[in-house]
Amino acid sequence: MQNRMPFDVSKTESFYDKLGEWIGDIFYDILPEAGFELRDEQIYMAFQLEKAFKDKKVMFAEAGVGTGKTIVYLLYSIMYARYTNRPAVIACADETLIEQLVKKEGDIAKLENVLGLNIDVRLAKSRGQYLCLKKLDQVRNNEISDEISDIYQKLPDFIHMGGSMQSFERYGDRRDFPNLSDEKWSNINWDTLQDCFSCEKRHRCGLTLHREYYRHSTDLIICSHDFYMEHIWTKESRKREGQLPLLPEHSSVVFDEGHLLEYAAQKALSYRFTDYTLDTLLTRLMENEVREKTLYTIEEALLDNESFFDAISKYTEHTKGSEKQIITKHPLVLKTCRKLLSTLQSLEEELVFESELYVISEYDLKIVEEYLEQITYSLSLFLQELNGITWFEEGGGERTLVIMPKMVEEVMREEVFSQKKPFIFSSATLSNQKSFDYIANSLGVKDYLSFSVASPFVYDEKMEVYLPGFPKGSMEDKINYLIKMIYHSEGRALILLNNKEELSHIKKQLSGVIPYPIYFEGDEEISTLVSKFQNEEHAILCSIHLWEGLDIPGRSLENVLIFSLPFPPNDPVFTAKRNGVDNPFFEVDLPYMLLRLRQGVGRLIRSEKDQGTVHIMIEEDPDFNVLQSVIDAIPTKPKEA
């Protein structure tokens, strides 16, 4: 430990005292000498964070844009990791943001250069971010594609060799295929039908090799909120199955954009049942030499599966701006559900007999048994009047039933915050009317430290905000305004959208019209798009998911265009939230919109030298309270459009 510390600690000295001295030297001397601005807010945050690490407490660290909070929590996390000989985990809001910290212009690279540190930082991505060799083989056999052939040809040699591996290299990360669209990637990446534990390719699999790599990080492991919560919920079951947990033992956790953690926790606890998945599994099962009774039960299950999803499709309601459809539990829906559940339970019994005959491959049988167990449990939950949120999704030829728990605070309290270690929530938006009780209670946090520091930027000198009004539903006027503003800033624009419908419309209207490079989320791997946007000064980036976390200082981003106020959709998740309060609009819809709006506006000014404009497009005749709340939420008085 001592050799890895950039400061000396004798046996009679306190690590925390020496760490505090070193942190002070960094902010008062080293960073200013390297050209960094001395910020009182950043120094205040640094010494507040010391308490959380020293006392191993939960801390809500609310720090405005420009306080340099990332550098602060990185310094403490790295040094504490070296002190405890266990890596720290940095959990970002989602998969689209975890590359941001390790980009060449990022804060980790800055710390390495200025402090002369060699920081061991590794990314832990979700399974869907990796290539699946089995699916790649299937796609190659079913279609002729230059892209797929090129991916196959460029696979490392050790994948195709028999015997033991003499050497290997990591491969198969989504980022290795930057030009592949999200749609094409979904055909060859990992999905729920893959049972990695019994797959014969697992020891040559890119996912396996990446996991083995990031587990040995000595400083930092960066993942998403979703990944961290999946680690928590699967930790014990993976141990029972003889597998390692997704993350190794770690010293501390930072939840960047921590205000979003509750949804990740709910999502990780959700059950998903897709008609196509069951259909594929059972059809594959029929290819084996199973008994006639088993075959009959499989055929019955296939018919019942189709009937159940047909019934749900008939009794669902679409919600604008969301993929989540509201389900009406009509008697026909419940009847077909009970019938499917009964048939699948019979099939589970039949497979017990089949396993003793060894006519089904162990790989296929294990997948089917595990998936059937999950489906039958999901269906039983659906039939109960449980304290949960249920919805239906339809797209890409698949229909999915989703069941999500309404409240997660009890599980979070027992499974996460019962651990004696520093948990740091970092965001510009954590408190509600200067209180942190709302987020603490929703996550089951009973004892915590907290602080708030405002942004050091003088926004009146750096930012101009406009609130142009448009007739309701007038997309053409909005598009014309977008084009005008893009020309005015000569590109350099981030367009923030609320849903796929808006993104699709913008893509159709702007493609081929704008003389600047324009990038749309989903067309390529997201960090590749962000890098292109940052390095091509006159480019435009259109995104649904980059309201938080995007950090583009400099001239590449001088114009943020918010296409519509980011109110939550009327989907089942937010409907459940609204049903739990006295005044849904003022307690759910408006706070959500304002928080997201503040995050979006915060993308513009990222450094002392930045300046530019923000355009928040508002439909005419908005509610006075809404308009006033928007004006109060933005950091400078809006100008006349």
Side-chain angles (χ1 to χ4, degrees), residues 50-75:
E50 182 181 341
K51 298 177 187 176
F53 280 87
K54 191 173 183 178
D55 298 338
K56 301 181 179 63
K57 288 281 193 73
V58 174
M59 172 169 271
F60 294 109
E62 184 176 60
V65 174
T67 51
K69 52 184 174 288
T70 305
I71 284 180
V72 176
Y73 73 60
L74 283 173
L75 287 171

Side-chain angles (χ1 to χ4, degrees), residues 191-194 272-284 302 305 309 367-368 371-372 374-375 397-400:
D191 63 34
T192 52
L193 278 179
Q194 313 310 311
R272 300 180 66 87
F273 169 27
T274 301
D275 66 336
Y276 175 80
T277 305
L278 182 61
D279 189 276
T280 303
L281 279 174
L282 296 185
T283 302
R284 186 192 299 174
L302 288 169
N305 182 49
F309 278 96
I367 293 177
V368 173
Y371 202 74
L372 283 180
Q374 179 192 325
I375 293 172
E398 296 183 3
R399 300 178 292 184
T400 304

Side-chain angles (χ1 to χ4, degrees), residues 13 19 32 35 92 109 157 210 231 260 313 358 372 374 383 410 455 483 486 490 496 521 546 548:
E13 291 177 312
L19 174 62
C92 300
D157 291 339
H210 274 273
H231 158 72
L260 299 174
S313 298
Y358 301 102
L372 283 180
Q374 179 192 325
L383 290 169
E410 185 176 338
S455 171
I483 294 172
I486 288 169
E490 298 179 334
L496 291 173
E521 183 181 323
L546 293 176
E548 289 107 354

Side-chain angles (χ1 to χ4, degrees), residues 11-12 56 247 258 321 341 367 371 418 434 437 441 520 587:
K11 291 182 179 180
T12 59
K56 301 181 179 63
L247 290 169
L341 176 59
I367 293 177
Y371 202 74
S418 62
K434 299 185 179 180
D437 287 349
N441 292 336
F520 300 94
E587 293 183 59

